[in-house]
């Protein structure tokens, strides 16, 4: 099998292909952000890649707001087909109705998530990956280093088995691959609920962190937004309350389509490899615990996985090198915020209203707090007040 030139930007770093491994069969479960990007990177290096996806159409149903910072452009070439909007302003609100306005140095992109997934899958197919849609992974058993994977076709209920050297679980938050192979761990979930709604807006993202979780309003166009919440307890009540606050009592009349899904909280202790079975993306809980975004992390981890398989490197080490410290830092921030009272959110926003602190949010990519945290802590001693929440 030869990788073909598909006209898409190659990943930032080209891997050294290991000739001995080129014919190994790789079965990827799940054609989301993690599965498609891993499939693309592996197929273009000559692996035999098959992707099994439960949905009949890649990317549908959508359960995602699609906000991405500009770092994503270094991974996947931006295309107007999958970009719904570009936004350079965000407001972060406190419970006492104050806010800080952040003007990003590089605008955020709001993705059409279904088209983004389809774009990644197209790159993978052009590189030689084979897709089987409307089929679900049931289980796998190992024999002599090979896995026999049992798959079910959803339309006909017919089951069949396929052999693979490598099995990748890119099957999302409730990953059956992780469960069946002892890689699920003790993960916890947020539950995200969002809707597209008609609402005139001035093209700024609004974030509302609070004791209930996090809520957002993200413009898709000048009169349509994605409005949503993610919470751990009673998400429907929280959604109802938030929509009433933003859209008014008659908010249901303004909702166009609703979407929902679980979001795993990053669990640093979770193992992501057992023999020739790997997990990546939400299946491996690789989500920022602050904003609960995981598209970028799924792509970065997919790249680390491809590199590990191509160069025979240790996957756990590779992805943790790229993402581990940042994901851990997001988790610490989330742990602290989970213990906040209303007054603590007010205090935090007041700290970021100071110009010198706001500038850091404007300049640095929020995906990677390791790049700015030391500077922020050095210049703002007021942040030390929040350290006590980590000690409780
Ligand atoms: C409401 C909401 C809003 C969000 N907003 C953002 C955001 O703005 N920015 C951001 O970065 N992230 C956001 N996220 C998180 C983001 O959607 C995930 O982190 C991302 O989708 C993870 O990609 P993935 O490929 O790991 O998993 P998924 O995208 O969940 O893909 C997993 C795929 O596996 C398939 N699958 C599952 N089980 C099986 C099986 N047994 N057999 C075959 N196929 C299977 C599923 O059908 C699915 O297609 C949001 C999530 C939610 C719920």
């Amino acid at each position: 099998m030869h990788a073909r030139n598909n006209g898409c930007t190659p990943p930032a770093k080209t891997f050294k292909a290991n000739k001995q491994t080129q014919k190994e069969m790789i079965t990827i479960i799940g054609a989301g952000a993690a599965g498609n990007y891993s499939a693309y990177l592996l197929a273009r290096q000559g692996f035999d890649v098959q992707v099994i996806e439960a949905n009949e159409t890649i990317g549908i149903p959508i359960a995602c707001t699609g906000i991405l910072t500009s770092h994503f452009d270094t991974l996947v070439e931006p295309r107007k087909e999958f970009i719904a909007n570009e936004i350079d302003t965000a407001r972060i609100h406190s419970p006492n109705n104050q806010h800080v306005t952040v003007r990003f140095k590089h605008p955020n992109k709001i993705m059409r998530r279904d088209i983004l997934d389809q774009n990644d899958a197209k790159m993978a197919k052009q590189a030689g990956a084979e897709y089987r849609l409307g089929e679900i992974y049931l289980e796998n058993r190992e024999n002599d280093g090979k896995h026999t994977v049992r798959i079910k076709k959803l339309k006909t209920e017919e089951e069949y088995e396929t052999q693979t050297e490598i099995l990748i679980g890119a099957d999302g938050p409730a990953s059956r691959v992780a469960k069946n192979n002892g890689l699920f761990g003790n993960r916890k979930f947020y539950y995200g609920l969002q809707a597209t709604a008609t609402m005139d807006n001035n093209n700024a993202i609004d974030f509302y962190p609070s004791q209930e979780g996090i809520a957002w309003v993200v413009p898709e166009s000048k009169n349509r937004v994605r409005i949503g919440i993610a919470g751990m307890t009673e998400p429907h009540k929280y959604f109802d309350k938030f929509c009433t606050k933003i859209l008014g009592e008659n908010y249901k009349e303004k909702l166009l389509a609703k979407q929902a899904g679980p979001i795993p909280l990053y669990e640093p202790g979770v193992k992501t490899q057992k023999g020739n079975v790997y997990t990546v993306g939400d299946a491996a809980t690789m989500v920022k615990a602050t904003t609960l975004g995981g598209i970028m992390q799924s792509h970065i981890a997919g790249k680390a996985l491809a590199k590990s398989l191509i160069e025979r490197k240790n996957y756990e080490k590779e992805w943790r090198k790229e993402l581990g410290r940042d994901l851990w830092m997001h988790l610490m921030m989330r742990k602290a915020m989970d213990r906040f009272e209303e007054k603590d959110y007010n205090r935090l926003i007041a700290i970021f209203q100071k110009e010198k602190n706001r500038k850091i949010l404007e300049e640095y990519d929020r995906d990677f707090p390791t790049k700015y945290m030391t500077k922020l802590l050095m210049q703002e001693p007021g942040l030390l007040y929040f350290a006590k929440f980590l000690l409780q």
Side-chain angles (χ1 to χ4, degrees), residues 78-114:
R79 287 172 185 264
K80 64 175 182 341
E81 298 91 288
F82 57 71
I83 299 168
N85 196 4
E86 293 200 39
I87 301 181
D88 64 9
T89 305
R91 291 178 292 249
I92 311 168
H93 299 259
S94 57
N96 63 351
N97 295 322
Q98 295 294 304
H99 68 266
V100 53
T101 301
V102 179
R103 295 199 195 282
F104 302 124
K105 191 168 166 194
H106 304 289
N108 283 194
K109 292 193 173 64
I110 313 306
M111 298 291 167
R112 296 184 205 284
R113 178 62 201 274
D114 50 343

Side-chain angles (χ1 to χ4, degrees), residues 70-297:
S70 59
H71 181 78
F72 193 68
D73 297 353
T74 66
L75 297 160
V76 177
E77 182 191 4
R79 287 172 185 264
K80 64 175 182 341
E81 298 91 288
F82 57 71
I83 299 168
N85 196 4
E86 293 200 39
I87 301 181
D88 64 9
T89 305
R91 291 178 292 249
I92 311 168
H93 299 259
S94 57
N96 63 351
N97 295 322
Q98 295 294 304
H99 68 266
V100 53
T101 301
V102 179
R103 295 199 195 282
F104 302 124
K105 191 168 166 194
H106 304 289
N108 283 194
K109 292 193 173 64
I110 313 306
M111 298 291 167
R112 296 184 205 284
R113 178 62 201 274
D114 50 343
I115 313 288
L116 174 67
D117 284 1
Q118 287 161 17
N119 179 76
D120 281 1
K122 188 172 158 198
M123 296 195 302
K125 281 182 207 163
Q126 285 173 340
E130 185 200 324
Y131 275 69
R132 299 195 200 158
L133 304 180
E135 300 190 4
I136 54 165
Y137 154 91
L138 296 175
E139 61 176 20
N140 60 289
R141 47 179 201 281
E142 198 191 343
N143 199 357
D144 271 349
K146 268 201 168 188
H147 286 269
T148 302
V149 183
R150 200 151 62 84
I151 309 284
K152 181 160 128 182
K153 298 184 181 180
L154 286 173
K155 258 193 195 144
T156 59
E157 304 245 308
E158 181 197 332
E159 291 183 16
Y160 70 93
E161 292 189 335
T162 181
Q163 303 283 319
T164 193
E165 271 93 14
I166 292 161
L167 176 64
I168 296 175
D171 48 342
S175 173
R176 192 180 279 193
V177 174
K179 279 182 192 150
N180 288 351
N181 293 279
L183 300 171
F184 201 72
N186 190 22
R187 63 185 68 187
K188 295 188 177 63
F189 295 92
Y190 270 74
Y191 198 76
L193 260 178
Q194 84 161 10
T196 46
T198 50
M199 179 181 154
D200 291 340
N201 63 79
N202 52 8
N203 212 36
I205 298 170
D206 287 295
F207 287 119
Y208 299 80
S210 75
Q211 285 165 294
E212 286 162 295
I214 178 154
W216 59 87
V217 181
V218 177
E220 202 176 88
S221 65
K222 58 180 193 287
N223 49 22
R224 186 184 282 209
V225 296
R226 297 173 187 176
I227 179 167
I229 59 96
M232 272 193 163
T233 49
E234 305 196 283
H236 287 90
K237 267 195 192 163
Y238 180 21
F239 182 74
D240 194 53
K241 190 171 137 192
F242 183 63
C243 286
T244 307
K245 170 177 163 166
I246 301 296
L247 299 170
E249 290 293 338
N250 64 341
Y251 81 81
K252 286 189 180 140
E253 292 164 21
K254 299 180 183 169
L255 301 190
L256 303 167
K258 266 187 166 180
Q259 305 155 357
I263 308 173
L265 202 61
Y266 175 55
E267 171 53 59
V270 115
K271 293 262 173 294
T272 57
Q273 179 185 359
K274 189 174 175 194
N276 284 345
V277 180
Y278 301 81
T279 53
V280 62
D282 277 18
T285 79
M286 294 162 175
V287 174
K288 287 177 287 177
T290 47
T291 60
L292 305 173
I295 305 172
M296 178 96 75
Q297 288 63 27

Side-chain angles (χ1 to χ4, degrees), residues 1 15 22 49-50 67 104 149 152 156 180 182 200 214-215 219 258 285-286 310 324 339 353 359 376 386:
M1 188 190 296
F15 307 121
Q22 286 198 355
V49 177
Q50 58 175 351
I67 314 175
F104 302 124
V149 183
K152 181 160 128 182
T156 59
N180 288 351
D200 291 340
I214 178 154
K258 266 187 166 180
T285 79
M286 294 162 175
I310 293 160
R339 290 163 183 153
Q353 280 174 332
K359 284 256 177 272
L376 190 57
F386 300 100

